[in-house]
Amino acid sequence: MVRILRGLAHKYFSDEEAVILFLLLVTGTIFVIWFGAMLAPAIASLIVAFILQGLVSKLNRMGVPQTVAVISVFLMFMGVLIGFIFGLLPLIWTQVSTLAGEAPRIIRELQSYLSLLPQEYPHLVSEEAVNLIYAEISAEVGHATQWLVSFSLSSIPDLVALLIYMVLVPILVFFFLKDRELIVNSIGRLLPPQRPMMVRIWHEVNLQCANYVRGKAVEILIVGGTTYVAFKLLGMPYAALLSLLVGLSVVIPYIGAAVVTVPVAVIGLFAFGWSSQFIWIMVVYGIIQALDGNVLVPVLFSEVNNLHPVAIIVAVLFFGGIWGLWGVFFAIPLATMLKAVFAAWPVQEDMPAPAQET
């Protein structure tokens, strides 16, 4: 065992830079796991600044001074944030509350639909299975309704924390954009002066992650906005809530689209029944999903390394289990970073076998 460990150490950790990088990765992971909740505003601000930096760089290439570019991009960010808080968020909350109020009616209609299944398909569906499904759905809807009702004075501390975050995040975003070079140079001085492997990994990860994160932000806006306009024109109820879910579903490849189809189909079915209106809604929704997967994704992510679907699903499950929603969103960038690290990691030749005594 000692010989095996010694051989692995020689093969993968003979380079001093590899040892330092390994320690940095382990330390950074432990730091985020232990202090991630405490530093959530700073981490969120860093992510937003990372997304907006692409616009700042484009303005710089067009000849716009750095200060003007930073202020322009920051004002655009504040406009979007204010529009979301005072425009879209109240609308979504109103639709969520309305949907919770209509939950009993939906449950009754669902029960009538389910009660017909054992009569029409007696060999496939039993009454016991229908009763079990109905009980599970009723319990889940009851829990969701209870949560909405209990959202009152007990939630004031969370609202105060949210307000503090809404103040801190814009301030941190501005300084991350303004002092980006100063922060990067300060971190660079803590690392070894000769670090070719780290530089190579940084350039690769920066390119891949920047393209992915910014592309996902644009994809969410396009898919969510297009879905909202389409549902609104077709008279789909809860258009804002459903379009938000459809937009966020693109964060999780393969899984998100399949999961969000269920609420879209259920609400459309209860609103219009088996009518041509329902068919049109599902057709338009299917067209949006097809255009997203076959047109929008290749255009936005043409420079991003392709990962195998199994690797994507495993990354979503693993990082989502560790960091929740943030882990789900950054599962693919993190998997890309690991791929870049493995590709650049220096590997030494196997240790020579010890000479035998004659």
Side-chain angles (χ1 to χ4, degrees):
M1 178 62 69
V2 175
R3 185 177 178 181
I4 295 175
L5 294 177
R6 188 181 302 165
L8 291 175
H10 172 79
K11 186 173 184 179
Y12 296 105
F13 295 100
S14 296
D15 192 303
E16 177 184 358
E17 190 180 2
V19 177
I20 295 175
L21 178 59
F22 177 77
L23 294 176
L24 288 175
L25 292 175
V26 172
T27 304
T29 302
I30 295 175
F31 184 83
V32 171
I33 292 176
W34 283 1
F35 302 102
M38 184 186 307
L39 299 176
I43 297 175
S45 304
L46 184 62
I47 294 168
V48 173
F50 186 72
I51 296 173
L52 297 178
Q53 180 58 41
L55 296 177
V56 175
S57 300
K58 287 184 178 180
L59 291 177
N60 291 152
R61 290 194 293 268
M62 294 170 59
V64 179
Q66 174 70 13
T67 304
V68 177
V70 168
I71 294 176
S72 301
V73 172
F74 178 74
L75 291 177
M76 183 200 68
F77 162 70
M78 289 301 300
V80 173
L81 182 62
I82 293 173
F84 176 79
I85 294 174
F86 295 102
L88 184 60
L89 196 59
L91 178 60
I92 292 174
W93 179 253
T94 301
Q95 293 190 358
V96 170
S97 302
T98 305
L99 182 60
E102 292 188 357
R105 180 184 66 83
I106 295 177
I107 291 296
R108 289 193 299 269
E109 294 186 10
L110 179 62
Q111 185 180 19
S112 64
Y113 276 118
L114 293 176
S115 62
L116 297 177
L117 293 179
Q119 302 175 9
E120 297 182 2
Y121 308 100
H123 300 291
L124 298 177
V125 182
S126 63
E127 291 187 4
E128 292 78 7
V130 169
N131 293 333
L132 180 61
I133 294 174
Y134 175 74
E136 291 290 336
I137 295 176
S138 300
E140 293 297 328
V141 173
H143 293 159
T145 306
Q146 184 179 6
W147 177 83
L148 289 173
V149 173
S150 63
F151 189 80
S152 56
L153 294 177
S154 61
S155 303
I156 288 180
D158 295 334
L159 291 176
V160 173
L162 181 61
L163 292 175
I164 294 175
Y165 287 177
M166 297 308 296
V167 174
L168 289 179
V169 168
I171 295 175
L172 290 173
V173 168
F174 176 76
F175 283 107
F176 280 141
L177 289 174
K178 174 179 173 293
D179 299 327
R180 173 179 174 272
E181 294 295 333
L182 178 62
I183 296 173
V184 172
N185 292 335
S186 300
I187 296 175
R189 284 194 292 268
L190 301 176
L191 300 175
Q194 302 297 328
R195 47 180 188 275
M197 182 183 69
M198 293 184 184
V199 171
R200 187 164 65 253
I201 293 176
W202 165 252
H203 285 309
E204 179 69 17
V205 171
N206 183 54
L207 174 63
Q208 301 298 327
C209 292
N211 289 335
Y212 177 81
V213 173
R214 293 163 190 160
K216 276 299 174 185
V218 174
E219 186 184 6
I220 290 173
L221 292 176
I222 293 177
V223 173
T226 304
T227 303
Y228 177 74
V229 173
F231 283 178
K232 219 33 182 170
L233 293 176
L234 292 172
M236 180 74 164
Y238 312 109
L241 176 60
L242 292 176
S243 62
L244 177 64
L245 295 178
V246 173
L248 294 178
S249 69
V250 304
V251 171
I252 312 175
Y254 311 108
I255 303 175
V259 171
V260 82
T261 301
V262 176
V264 172
V266 169
I267 292 178
L269 181 63
F270 283 108
F272 305 107
W274 293 102
S275 62
S276 59
Q277 185 80 354
F278 171 74
I279 295 175
W280 272 111
I281 288 174
M282 297 309 298
V283 168
V284 170
Y285 171 73
I287 292 174
I288 292 174
Q289 292 290 351
L291 292 176
D292 174 49
N294 297 284
V295 178
L296 191 59
V297 170
V299 171
L300 293 177
F301 306 105
S302 59
E303 299 180 3
V304 179
N305 288 335
N306 292 325
L307 295 172
H308 194 276
V310 174
I312 293 176
I313 295 175
V314 171
V316 169
L317 295 175
F318 179 76
F319 292 112
I322 295 177
W323 291 312
L325 181 61
W326 288 114
V328 170
F329 183 81
F330 289 100
I332 296 179
L334 290 171
T336 302
M337 182 189 71
L338 292 178
K339 180 180 179 181
V341 170
F342 291 146
W345 198 275
V347 178
Q348 301 291 334
E349 297 295 333
D350 294 337
M351 295 179 62
Q356 297 182 356
E357 297 182 359
T358 58

